[in-house]
């Protein structure tokens, strides 16, 4: 099944979202856990933020990393070095692994972009041994991403036809309170619980905030790219004004919140 994330190359992804996932990965691992000697699968590895954090923090035996995007897999393969990571292209909804072949299945900032998040959760449960852990995380897209709300709320005030796109971006699958533990419970996991993870993302100036959108990465980028030139210019200036908020251009810092949940594969 296809991913719903709109990607245009590993370098653009790293500039747009990779820098966020690198900050979130350690907090997620604190919650998800990892133990020496474990075999772990990283579902939707992107360019490797979670896989690399995992092997740098824990003496795991092996990490199997998969992602739908071949460019992302190639980028991770170039970074593996001597780490016990194997990266391959694959589908979160049909994992290419045998039943009960891992101690832990982890997925960072992926399930809200998967075409069938419930099927992906079932697959993660399937490949983890009894007593093992499945842990997942997604952005709190409606209530926890003010840097994106600046964009969508400003754009929709200028271009009302964007309202449907805003709704789709704000209410992605599995991003509301209680969604993730319910997803894991339906997949047959026990003791499913959730928490909130918070990072801060700094931008050097407006261009550092705005430029990644122009690479057409993700839903925001695709929308900006598709605007007529006059509307795009109006949107740019309005979003710039919202970012500046009456002060000179320069650094800004935004809290960014993610939901995380974990459950146990029953024995």
């Amino acid at each position: 099944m296809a991913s719903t994330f709109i990607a245009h190359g590993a370098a653009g992804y790293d500039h747009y979202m990779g820098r966020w996932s690198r900050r979130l990965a350690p907090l997620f691992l604190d919650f998800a856990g990892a133990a020496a000697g474990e075999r772990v699968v990283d579902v939707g590895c992107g360019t490797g933020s979670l896989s690399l954090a995992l092997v740098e923090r824990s003496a795991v035996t092996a990490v199997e990393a998969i992602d739908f995007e071949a460019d992302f897999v190639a980028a991770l393969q170039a970074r593996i070095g001597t780490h016990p990571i194997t990266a391959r292209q694959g589908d979160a909804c049909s994992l290419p692994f045998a039943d009960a072949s891992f101690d832990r299945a982890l997925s960072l900032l992926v399930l809200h972009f998967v075409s069938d998040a419930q099927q992906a959760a079932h697959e993660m449960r399937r490949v983890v041994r009894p007593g093992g852990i499945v842990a997942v995380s997604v952005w709190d897209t409606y209530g926890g991403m003010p840097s994106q709300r600046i964009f969508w709320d400003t754009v929709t005030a200028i271009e009302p036809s964007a309202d449907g796109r805003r709704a789709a971006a704000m209410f992605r699958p599995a991003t509301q309170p209680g969604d993730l533990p319910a997803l894991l419970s339906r997949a047959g996991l026990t003791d499913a619980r959730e928490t909130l993870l918070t990072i801060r993302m700094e931008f050097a100036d407006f261009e550092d905030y705005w430029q990644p959108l122009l690479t057409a990465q993700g839903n925001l980028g695709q929308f900006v790219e598709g605007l007529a030139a006059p509307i795009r210019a109006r949107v740019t200036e309005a979003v710039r004004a919202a970012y500046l908020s009456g002060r000179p251009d320069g650094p800004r810092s935004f809290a960014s919140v993610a939901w995380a949940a974990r459950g146990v594969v029953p024995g």
Side-chain angles (χ1 to χ4, degrees):
M1 296 183 180
S3 166
T4 62
F5 182 78
I6 301 162
H8 294 284
Y13 170 83
D14 267 344
H15 190 42
Y16 175 65
M17 188 51 67
R19 57 182 175 173
W20 302 63
S21 59
R22 283 191 293 274
R23 294 194 176 197
L24 189 62
L27 299 182
F28 178 60
L29 289 175
D30 288 343
F31 173 73
E38 286 189 339
R39 285 176 45 82
V40 181
V41 58
D42 178 1
V43 178
C45 62
T47 55
S49 296
L50 181 61
S51 290
L52 292 169
L54 181 60
V55 296
E56 289 165 1
R57 290 164 54 101
S58 308
V60 294
T61 298
V63 176
E64 292 281 351
I66 73 158
D67 199 275
F68 192 78
E69 297 291 337
D71 285 351
F72 296 175
V73 172
L76 175 53
Q77 288 171 337
R79 297 168 179 169
I80 288 173
T82 60
H83 292 305
I85 301 172
T86 301
R88 72 178 79 181
Q89 189 174 16
D91 184 350
C93 296
S94 182
L95 296 176
F97 306 111
D99 294 358
S101 54
F102 295 97
D103 300 290
R104 210 171 294 256
L106 308 179
S107 182
L108 178 68
L109 304 178
V110 173
L111 289 190
H112 46 344
F113 294 117
V114 171
S115 55
D116 188 340
Q118 189 64 66
Q119 175 62 21
H122 279 287
E123 279 292 279
M124 293 175 74
R125 178 199 182 281
R126 178 184 66 79
V127 301
V128 172
R129 63 166 174 80
I133 299 295
V134 174
V136 297
S137 181
V138 300
W139 289 121
D140 177 6
T141 49
Y142 178 78
M145 297 290 287
S147 61
Q148 295 203 8
R149 289 300 301 263
I150 283 176
F151 172 84
W152 283 115
D153 291 346
T154 302
V155 169
T156 303
I158 294 172
E159 181 53 61
S161 66
D163 190 52
R165 297 291 292 271
R166 175 175 62 176
M170 295 297 101
F171 295 99
R172 291 188 178 279
T175 60
Q176 298 302 295
D179 281 358
L180 286 181
L183 192 79
L184 296 183
S185 295
R186 288 194 299 269
L189 293 149
T190 61
D191 192 29
R193 56 190 178 90
E194 73 178 350
T195 192
L196 287 170
L197 308 175
T198 302
I199 63 170
R200 293 198 72 88
M201 179 53 61
E202 288 81 28
F203 299 95
D205 52 26
F206 177 70
E207 284 305 305
D208 190 34
Y209 169 85
W210 185 243
Q211 191 59 40
L213 302 183
L214 305 186
T215 66
Q217 293 281 339
N219 195 34
L220 283 73
Q222 185 195 53
F223 183 80
V224 172
E225 188 179 60
L227 290 172
I231 298 296
R232 189 186 310 174
R234 286 184 61 200
V235 164
T236 301
E237 289 311 305
V239 175
R240 184 195 303 274
Y243 175 91
L244 297 180
S245 296
R247 291 183 171 242
D249 196 4
R252 299 291 189 273
S253 176
F254 297 94
S256 301
V257 180
W259 293 106
R262 56 174 279 171
V264 181
V265 177

